[in-house]
């Protein structure tokens, strides 16, 4: 006997639902009321399987009427295959903000999906891309997924996919690929042949040795993070060219779905922007500049491009999304002045640096090697005496190179804060390198130079403690932040500086403040563990290198950023602050302080030329814009002027040549900022209207439950099972529940995985230390729903979620019956030459007045109100059973109406699916068919007073 997907069968002494992947020989079954983790396979030749029907509630097991809502919520929150407009929403661990649905709605109208998501930093682009991936995988529109990203973001992507979308992806990095191939692949297989979901390092997979194989075996769905680093222009060292070539070849497959993610797609460079757009549609490579674009082209582009500022999203569809306010403390707060001893030391080093750069011996190549070495030394000098001493001892020279071009490539990678460099390099800066033996023409010159540097290094060793004005001033700034209740992160460029700073702060700050240092020396797992452990401390300070400026979100544990070392690229400045200034930050305010040397030649140069302008643009326009063109070239030009100022101690920032360069940059920067703002305004949501988003959001929440439903259910379920709930509200109005679970039945605690007696729960992701985020797929929520539904279906005596009940109430004047029904549907999605068959479930509460033989059906809004009806008096158990039995005996008379409602519901669902996919090739090829008879989960009677 064959069984259709969605039909009910009985085997192993219980009822099951047949899943779509079943065959006549092997049935994949999910227990009635069970979750995906309980799915079993049954061989029909070995086990007896027979058709089953879902029985109506037994009046003999009637319980309290108020179990109606509890049973309804348990059933709805237990669904993992929602029939609503978004199939995947039943199996994700996050409730999207309304604005995050816009990219998903745009994607579902495209076939294949080619979309560029360019929302502002910290607004949740990872969630937006993840929603698209989960929906395409759930509906069968895609079968495999690869996220291509910089290696330092790989673990974050893996965690986000797992924790929020239940997609278990393997990391494919330089450090893992060989092991995966040995373990899972045969001689003629690729990792991507055997791993359906992967997170791949862009800089690993772009290499010539790996690129061809990946193009051949790549999945049908790709997410590309930091997509701006894959543009066709600007890159040095071939990094961007290799990345773009890989994506161009992947995009050549017309059936492949590609989602590009970046916060900075444009930045004023039309060529860069068009090269990204060309990955969505080759014709977009020829689009004119935005100001000359016609409406038809804008509409075509708007269907594939969404770009919104944070300010545009704070209030969307009348729902507030809380982003923190970023307070950048005035420059004078962070400004310090060198001690006399340190100033004398700086002068000596700068004099030596200028002499070194002026040395023309060895030709152009050797001069560039020395130039980069000196530039690296100046960065270390501005950082700390520890970094300066280490650099001086290691000569600060780049690794041996053969040409000027190689020297520049290696020097830029090690000295500058590049935002398009090959990320296979470590994110930390380790000052110094072995000296190149060709640098000195004679052993005596080299020996004399080494003696000078060794002497300078020894002087640097002595400039610690009170002689280090930067450390002393930063300690004062930290004390103030901590006393004001903030949890700061100090970002340094060098490992030596981070270690030095952390050790000093442990001595200088009160013993109640815990200081932790994290650098790239630690493995990624150890970094995460240390951050988590530090988050449990009441007062905490984190010192970190830029290994934490990307790839880990820290908003739940920290709310202040101190730039101990100035970055030489405003993009890095934004990356650091973006670790805490993002959605999910529980503090209403994030503070930022920058430690600046008021008489430090290096700090003043970078501050005056780059960072102040960056701050001004961000303050005026509300968006951060990278330096147009090449930030590296500008830095090199400025410091080249510095090195050739002769005896001047300070770079003259108002010299004619420097002023012209600076003014030219500022003009381009302002133009890029204005263009970016205009772009974000035009492409905020042209393709999707707010009323469409609102309609689909309401339908999704009604189908699977909202945050409010989860909160209400958890509180009611814990109390109904014998536990207690203590609710607290903070100053911002956010609620925290202290769930006391020790009195719950042992079986319930086992199901929810409660390994402690008390859980401090929140229902939004803005967590404080020790709190647990509860959403519909959390083990605690899913476990409560599964347990209550199981005991209700088994008619366990005394269960708080019984399937039937009755009360007397003044909310009705005629005996009224409420039926909690479950619809089961087959959804067929025919796309191209393939058909996907999906099983879906949905709940509804129907109500009628009078006897079953002559029912008067009432509308949905009235039914919802009646679920909250209050009892005015008890009903005798015998009378309650008699009333309920009358309805059960009349079930045949109700059957035609229930079937009609199922067909109506199916048509509404089909229309919804067609509407949100309008424009895709699947339009008009979606069918939704109900399984009959309808399952009646619950039966509840409201009897008027006096009857």
């Amino acid at each position: 006997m064959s069984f259709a997907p969605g039909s009910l069968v009985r085997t192993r002494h219980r009822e099951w639902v047949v899943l779509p992947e079943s065959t006549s020989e092997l049935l994949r079954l999910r227990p009635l009321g069970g979750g995906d983790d309980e799915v079993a396979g049954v061989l029909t030749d070995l086990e007896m399987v027979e058709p089953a029907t879902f029985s109506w509630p037994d009046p003999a097991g009637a319980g309290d009427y108020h179990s109606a809502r509890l049973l309804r919520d348990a059933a709805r929150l237990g669904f993992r295959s929602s029939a609503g407009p978004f199939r995947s929403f039943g199996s994700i661990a996050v409730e999207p903000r309304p604005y995050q649905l816009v990219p998903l709605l745009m994607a579902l109208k495209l076939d294949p999906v080619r979309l560029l998501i360019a929302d502002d930093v910290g607004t949740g682009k990872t969630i937006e891309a993840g929603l698209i991936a989960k929906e395409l995988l759930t509906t069968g529109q895609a079968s495999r997924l690869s996220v291509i990203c910089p290696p330092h973001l790989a673990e974050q992507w893996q965690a986000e996919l797992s924790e929020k979308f239940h997609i278990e992806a393997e990391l494919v990095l330089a450090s893992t690929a060989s092991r995966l191939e040995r373990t899972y692949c045969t001689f003629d297989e690729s990792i991507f042949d055997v791993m359906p979901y992967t997170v791949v390092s862009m800089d690993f997979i772009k290499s010539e040795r790996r690129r061809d194989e990946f193009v051949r075996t790549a999945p049908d769905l790709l997410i590309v993070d930091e997509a701006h680093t894959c543009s066709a222009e600007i890159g040095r060292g071939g990094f961007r060219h290799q990345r773009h070539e890989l994506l161009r070849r992947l995009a050549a497959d017309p059936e492949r779905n590609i989602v590009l993610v970046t916060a900075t797609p444009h930045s004023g460079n039309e060529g860069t922007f068009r090269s990204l757009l060309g990955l969505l549609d080759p014709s977009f490579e020829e689009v004119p500049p935005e100001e000359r674009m016609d409406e038809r082209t804008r509409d075509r582009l708007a269907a594939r491009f969404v770009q919104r500022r944070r300010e545009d999203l704070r209030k969307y569809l009348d729902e507030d999304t809380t982003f923190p306010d970023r307070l950048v403390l005035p420059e004078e707060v962070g400004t310090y002045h060198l001690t006399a001893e340190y100033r004398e030391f700086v002068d000596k080093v700068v004099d030596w640096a200028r002499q070194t750069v002026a040395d023309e011996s060895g030709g152009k190549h050797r001069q560039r090697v020395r130039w980069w070495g000196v530039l690296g030394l100046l960065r270390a000098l501005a950082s700390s005496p520890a970094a300066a001493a280490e650099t001086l001892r290691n000569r600060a020279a780049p690794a041996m190179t053969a040409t000027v071009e190689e020297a520049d490539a290696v020097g830029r990678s090690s000295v500058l804060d590049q935002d398009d460099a090959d990320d296979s390099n470590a994110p930390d800066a380790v000052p110094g390198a072995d000296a190149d033996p060709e640098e000195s023409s004679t052993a005596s010159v080299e020996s004399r130079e080494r003696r000078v540097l060794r002497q300078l290094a020894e002087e640097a060793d002595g400039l610690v403690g009170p002689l280090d004005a930067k450390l002393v001033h930063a300690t004062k700034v930290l004390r103030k932040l901590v006393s004001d209740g903030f949890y700061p992160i100090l970002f340094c460029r060098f490992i030596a500086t981070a270690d030095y700073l952390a050790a000093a702060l442990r001595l200088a700050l009160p013993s109640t403040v815990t200081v932790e240092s994290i650098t790239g020396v630690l493995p990624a797992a150890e970094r995460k563990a240390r951050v988590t452990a530090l988050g449990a401390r009441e007062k905490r300070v984190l010192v970190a290198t830029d290994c934490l400026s990307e790839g880990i979100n820290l908003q739940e544990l920290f709310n202040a950023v101190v730039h101990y070392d100035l970055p030489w690229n405003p993009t890095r400045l934004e990356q650091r602050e973006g670790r805490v200034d993002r959605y999910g930050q529980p503090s209403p305010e994030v503070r930022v302080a920058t430690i600046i040397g008021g008489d430090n030649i290096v700090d003043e140069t970078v501050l005056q030329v780059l960072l102040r302008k960056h701050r001004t643009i961000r303050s005026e326009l509300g968006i951060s814009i990278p330096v147009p063109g090449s930030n590296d070239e500008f830095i090199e030009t400025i410091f080249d002027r510095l090195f050739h100022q002769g005896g001047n101690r300070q770079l003259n920032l108002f010299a004619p040549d420097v002023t012209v360069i600076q003014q030219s940059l500022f003009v381009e920067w302002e133009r890029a900022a204005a263009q970016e703002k205009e772009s974000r305004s035009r492409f905020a949501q042209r393709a999707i209207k707010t009323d469409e988003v609102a309609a689909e959001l309401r339908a999704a929440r009604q189908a699977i439950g909202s945050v409010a439903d989860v909160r209400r259910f958890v509180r009611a379920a814990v109390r109904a099972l014998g536990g207690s709930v203590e609710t607290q509200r903070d100053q911002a109005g956010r609620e925290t529940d202290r769930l006391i679970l020790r009195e719950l039945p042992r079986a319930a605690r086992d199901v929810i995985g409660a390994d402690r007696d008390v859980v401090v729960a929140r229902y939004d992701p803005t967590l404080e230390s020790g709190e647990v985020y509860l959403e519909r797929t959390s083990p605690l929520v899913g476990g409560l729903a599964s347990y209550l539904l199981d005991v209700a279906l088994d008619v366990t005596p005394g269960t708080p979620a019984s399937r039937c009940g009755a009360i007397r109430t003044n909310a009705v004047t005629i005996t009224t019956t409420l039926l909690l029904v479950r619809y089961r549907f087959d959804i067929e999605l025919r796309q191209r030459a393939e058909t996907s068959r999906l099983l879906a479930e949905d709940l509804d509460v129907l109500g009628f007045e009078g006897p079953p033989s002559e029912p008067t059906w009432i509308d949905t809004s009235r039914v919802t109100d009646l679920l909250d009806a209050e009892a005015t008096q008890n009903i005798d158990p015998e009378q309650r059973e008699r009333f309920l039995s009358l309805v059960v005996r009349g079930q045949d008379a109700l059957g035609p109406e229930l079937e009609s409602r199922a067909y109506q519901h199916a048509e509404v669902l089909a229309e919804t699916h067609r509407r949100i996919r309008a424009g895709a090739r699947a339009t008009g090829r979606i069918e939704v068919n109900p399984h009959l008879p309808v399952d009646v989960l619950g039966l509840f009677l409201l009897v008027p007073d006096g009857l």
Side-chain angles (χ1 to χ4, degrees):
M1 181 180 295
S2 61
F3 298 97
S7 60
L8 295 182
V9 297
R10 182 172 179 81
T11 186
R12 299 181 185 178
H13 309 292
R14 69 183 301 181
E15 283 72 35
W16 306 73
V17 179
V18 179
L19 298 180
E21 300 85 354
S22 298
T23 65
S24 58
E25 295 82 16
L26 176 63
L27 296 179
R28 290 190 75 248
L29 306 176
R30 188 183 65 228
L32 199 60
D36 292 338
D37 56 342
E38 300 176 81
V39 170
V42 174
L43 289 169
T44 55
D45 286 344
L46 300 180
E47 298 188 61
M48 175 66 71
V49 182
E50 56 187 9
T53 56
F54 192 81
S55 61
W56 274 56
D58 183 358
D64 190 303
Y65 162 80
H66 293 291
S67 61
R69 185 184 289 276
L70 191 59
L71 180 64
R72 184 193 67 167
D73 286 345
R76 180 167 54 169
L77 295 173
F79 282 173
R80 294 295 177 265
S81 55
S82 166
F86 306 113
R87 286 276 301 142
S88 62
F89 274 27
S91 56
I92 61 176
V94 60
E95 180 173 10
R97 305 302 302 161
Y99 68 82
Q100 291 173 329
L101 296 184
V102 171
L104 174 59
L105 287 167
M106 293 173 65
L108 294 180
K109 296 179 184 297
L110 301 171
D111 183 19
V113 174
R114 295 287 175 94
L115 191 65
L116 174 55
I117 302 175
D119 286 344
D120 211 349
V121 174
T123 55
K125 292 186 294 298
T126 301
I127 292 177
E128 292 172 343
L131 288 172
I132 295 171
K134 185 67 173 180
E135 186 69 17
L136 296 183
L137 293 171
T138 302
T139 58
Q141 292 170 265
S143 59
R144 296 183 297 142
L145 163 71
S146 280
V147 176
I148 306 175
C149 63
H152 58 270
L153 298 179
E155 289 193 350
Q156 180 181 344
W157 266 103
Q158 184 188 44
E160 291 283 299
L161 290 176
S162 175
E163 294 168 5
K164 291 185 171 64
F165 302 101
H166 304 296
I167 298 173
E168 303 303 327
E170 287 283 350
L171 292 179
V172 182
L173 312 172
S175 59
T176 66
S178 296
R179 174 183 58 80
L180 293 174
E181 288 171 335
R182 288 194 306 269
T183 305
Y184 299 105
C185 302
T186 60
F187 73 94
D188 61 344
E189 286 181 323
S190 160
I191 294 172
F192 308 100
D193 288 321
V194 298
M195 298 289 177
Y197 312 129
T198 53
V199 178
V200 187
S201 162
M202 168 61 81
D203 293 312
F204 168 73
I205 209 67
K206 78 178 190 310
S207 66
E208 291 186 11
R209 188 170 76 87
R210 294 283 182 175
R211 183 172 59 212
D212 291 344
E213 178 188 51
F214 185 59
V215 170
R216 179 180 62 84
T217 61
D220 52 359
L221 171 57
L222 301 176
I223 296 174
V224 183
D225 198 11
E226 301 294 328
H228 62 280
T229 66
C230 305
S231 59
E233 298 189 356
I234 302 177
R236 299 182 184 182
F239 301 144
R240 287 202 179 189
H241 173 74
Q242 289 178 326
R243 296 170 189 167
H244 186 76
E245 175 64 16
L246 172 63
L247 293 188
R248 187 188 63 78
R249 292 178 60 186
L250 291 167
D253 182 347
E255 305 299 320
R256 179 167 284 125
N257 304 286
I258 299 178
V259 178
L260 304 178
V261 181
T262 174
T264 54
H266 197 295
S267 304
N269 189 299
E270 291 292 343
T272 298
F273 184 47
R274 283 196 294 268
S275 72
L276 289 180
L277 296 180
L279 299 174
L280 308 177
D281 183 334
S283 68
F284 286 160
E285 291 186 4
E286 306 301 324
V287 297
E290 214 281 328
E291 62 270 14
R292 299 206 310 270
M293 204 179 290
D294 59 49
E295 283 302 309
R296 182 174 177 274
T297 302
R298 285 198 184 97
D299 288 340
R300 289 179 55 233
L301 182 54
R304 299 179 181 271
F305 177 39
V306 59
Q307 184 178 36
R308 297 168 293 181
R309 297 183 308 160
R310 181 183 297 191
E311 291 304 313
D312 300 329
L313 305 176
R314 285 186 184 272
K315 194 172 187 65
Y316 185 81
L317 293 181
D318 296 323
E319 289 195 22
D320 293 330
T321 298
T322 304
F323 296 109
D325 293 323
R326 186 186 305 187
L327 175 62
V328 178
L329 300 178
E331 285 182 9
E332 54 267 23
V333 171
T335 300
Y336 70 94
H337 295 277
L338 298 173
T339 60
E341 294 85 352
Y342 212 114
R343 182 191 299 278
E344 182 180 353
F345 172 70
V346 169
D347 288 344
K348 288 181 182 179
V349 175
V350 172
D351 284 342
W352 176 85
R354 285 189 172 128
Q355 293 170 19
T356 300
V357 171
D359 182 2
E360 298 181 357
S361 62
K364 178 70 171 176
H365 170 238
R366 298 304 315 142
Q367 194 173 19
R368 290 299 288 175
V369 170
R370 287 191 290 268
W371 193 90
W372 283 111
V374 165
L375 196 57
L377 173 59
L378 287 182
R379 293 214 71 173
L381 184 67
S383 179
S384 71
E390 186 172 339
T391 305
L392 287 163
R393 288 190 173 93
N394 292 331
R395 291 289 301 278
M400 188 183 301
T401 56
T403 65
V404 171
E405 290 73 21
E406 286 183 12
D408 284 346
V410 173
R412 292 185 183 108
S413 179
S414 61
V415 175
L416 300 180
D417 296 321
Q418 292 186 320
D419 59 2
D420 66 338
D422 189 335
D423 284 297
S424 59
N425 296 317
D428 285 338
V430 180
D434 293 333
D436 191 327
E438 298 180 8
E439 183 172 349
S440 300
S441 58
T442 65
S444 61
V445 171
E446 183 177 349
S447 177
R448 184 167 59 250
E449 185 175 296
R450 285 183 179 277
R451 285 197 300 271
V452 171
L453 293 176
R454 188 166 55 249
Q455 181 180 349
L456 288 172
E458 290 172 356
E459 289 187 37
D461 288 335
L463 295 172
V464 298
L467 297 180
D468 184 2
K470 182 179 183 181
L471 171 63
V472 172
H473 188 76
T475 304
K476 294 178 181 177
V477 173
L478 277 178
R479 283 200 187 100
K480 174 62 174 170
L481 286 171
V482 172
S483 67
D484 287 347
F486 285 85
Y487 309 112
I489 306 174
L490 282 80
F491 279 107
C492 312
R493 175 168 172 78
F494 298 102
I495 294 175
T497 299
D499 292 341
Y500 160 77
L501 181 58
L505 290 175
R506 290 187 185 106
L507 297 175
L509 294 176
S511 59
T512 55
V513 179
T514 302
V515 179
E516 182 63 86
S517 174
I518 294 180
T519 69
V521 172
L522 299 172
E526 177 67 15
R527 295 178 213 167
K528 187 173 182 179
R530 290 198 183 188
V531 169
T532 302
L534 182 60
R537 301 291 184 172
E538 184 176 353
K539 295 183 178 181
R540 52 189 178 268
V541 172
L542 175 60
V543 181
T545 58
D546 282 312
C547 71
L548 289 189
S549 67
E550 293 184 274
I552 181 171
N553 294 334
L554 302 167
Q555 72 271 18
E556 295 177 3
L557 302 178
F558 301 93
N559 54 12
V561 169
V562 177
H563 300 285
Y564 192 78
D565 290 340
L566 284 182
W568 285 10
N569 186 339
T571 298
R572 181 58 55 83
L573 195 80
E574 194 64 30
Q575 287 169 346
R576 291 173 174 180
E577 294 168 13
R579 293 311 89 208
V580 300
D581 181 12
R582 58 195 308 112
Y583 174 65
Q585 170 60 254
S587 173
E589 178 182 275
V590 165
R591 288 190 183 177
V592 176
T594 306
I595 307 302
I596 305 163
D599 49 2
N600 180 316
I601 188 172
V602 178
D603 280 2
E604 181 61 23
T605 300
V606 175
L607 180 70
Q608 173 110 353
V609 176
L610 291 177
L611 302 189
R612 284 179 182 149
K613 187 63 177 179
H614 167 79
R615 297 280 196 205
T616 299
I617 290 175
R618 192 184 190 286
S619 174
E620 292 177 350
L621 300 184
I623 52 178
S624 297
I625 304 298
V627 178
S630 172
N631 181 80
D632 302 345
E633 290 179 356
F634 188 71
I635 284 287
E636 291 173 44
T637 301
I638 292 298
F639 277 97
D640 190 57
R641 300 299 194 275
L642 166 66
F643 290 153
H644 294 91
Q645 289 282 318
N648 293 337
R649 298 298 184 199
Q650 294 288 339
L651 171 65
N652 183 358
L653 293 173
F654 303 102
D657 57 346
V658 175
T659 301
V660 169
I661 296 170
Q662 182 176 334
Q663 288 178 344
S664 175
L665 173 75
F666 285 2
V667 168
E668 287 298 308
W669 209 345
E670 289 167 355
R671 186 184 68 83
Q675 206 163 26
E676 188 84 348
K677 184 178 182 181
E678 175 69 14
S679 177
R680 290 175 190 250
S681 174
R682 285 189 180 275
F683 297 105
Q685 47 190 312
R686 288 174 59 94
I688 301 293
K689 304 304 180 185
T690 55
D691 56 349
E692 182 178 353
V693 179
E696 309 312 343
L697 181 64
R698 284 194 301 271
R701 288 177 175 173
Q702 183 177 359
I704 65 171
S706 65
V707 170
D709 294 321
V710 172
R711 181 170 52 238
R712 184 186 64 243
F713 169 71
V714 169
R715 291 172 177 173
V718 169
R719 288 173 177 141
L721 290 171
S724 59
V725 181
E726 300 171 358
T727 301
Q728 298 177 336
R729 188 185 298 269
D730 63 17
Q731 293 181 345
R734 295 171 301 194
E735 291 183 341
T736 302
D737 283 347
R738 192 166 181 266
L739 308 176
I740 315 299
L741 307 177
R742 65 176 65 92
E743 301 301 327
L744 265 63
R746 181 74 260 173
R749 295 195 63 177
D750 289 343
V751 170
I752 67 178
D755 56 358
R756 47 184 167 167
D757 291 338
V758 178
V759 171
V760 181
R762 287 186 71 103
Y763 305 93
D764 64 75
T766 56
L767 301 177
E768 300 285 356
S769 176
E771 296 177 343
V772 175
Y773 173 41
L774 294 187
E775 39 70 37
R776 66 186 312 275
T777 65
S778 297
L780 189 146
V781 178
L784 285 173
S786 177
Y787 177 79
L788 288 171
L789 191 55
D790 279 348
V791 296
L793 294 176
D794 291 340
V795 198
T796 303
T799 176
S802 57
R803 294 181 61 194
C804 54
I807 59 169
R808 293 189 190 278
T809 177
N810 57 18
V812 297
T813 57
I814 302 173
T815 299
T816 301
T817 303
L818 302 183
L819 299 176
L820 177 62
V821 299
R822 173 175 54 193
Y823 304 118
R824 286 174 285 116
F825 300 102
D826 270 339
I827 299 179
E828 286 193 3
L829 174 63
R830 293 195 292 274
Q831 188 174 19
R832 304 169 196 159
E834 298 181 359
T835 299
S836 300
R837 294 195 67 183
L838 311 168
L839 172 64
E841 297 174 304
D842 209 350
L843 280 183
D844 202 0
V845 182
L846 309 177
F848 64 88
E849 296 175 340
S853 57
E854 298 180 10
T856 300
W857 296 91
I858 56 181
D859 62 43
T860 302
S861 60
R862 173 69 172 149
V863 170
T864 302
D865 291 339
L866 291 177
L867 283 173
D868 293 322
E870 294 292 336
T872 54
Q873 56 181 294
N874 295 327
I875 297 181
D876 178 84
E878 293 184 4
Q879 190 178 36
R880 178 178 60 193
E881 184 175 342
R882 186 170 64 254
F883 284 158
L884 291 167
S885 296
L886 290 173
V887 179
V888 172
R889 286 197 296 270
Q891 61 182 275
D892 290 343
L894 299 173
E897 179 66 23
L898 295 182
E899 291 187 5
S900 175
R901 295 293 184 106
Y903 280 109
Q904 292 173 26
H905 207 78
E907 182 54 38
V908 170
L909 288 173
E911 179 56 35
T912 300
H913 282 276
R914 294 185 190 111
R915 183 177 65 251
I916 65 175
R917 289 167 173 80
R921 278 180 272 174
T923 300
R925 303 179 184 180
I926 299 170
E927 293 184 7
V928 181
N929 297 301
H931 283 274
L932 300 174
V934 173
D935 301 336
V936 178
L937 289 181
L939 166 59
F940 307 98
L941 264 128
L942 291 84
V943 181
D945 285 342
L947 185 63

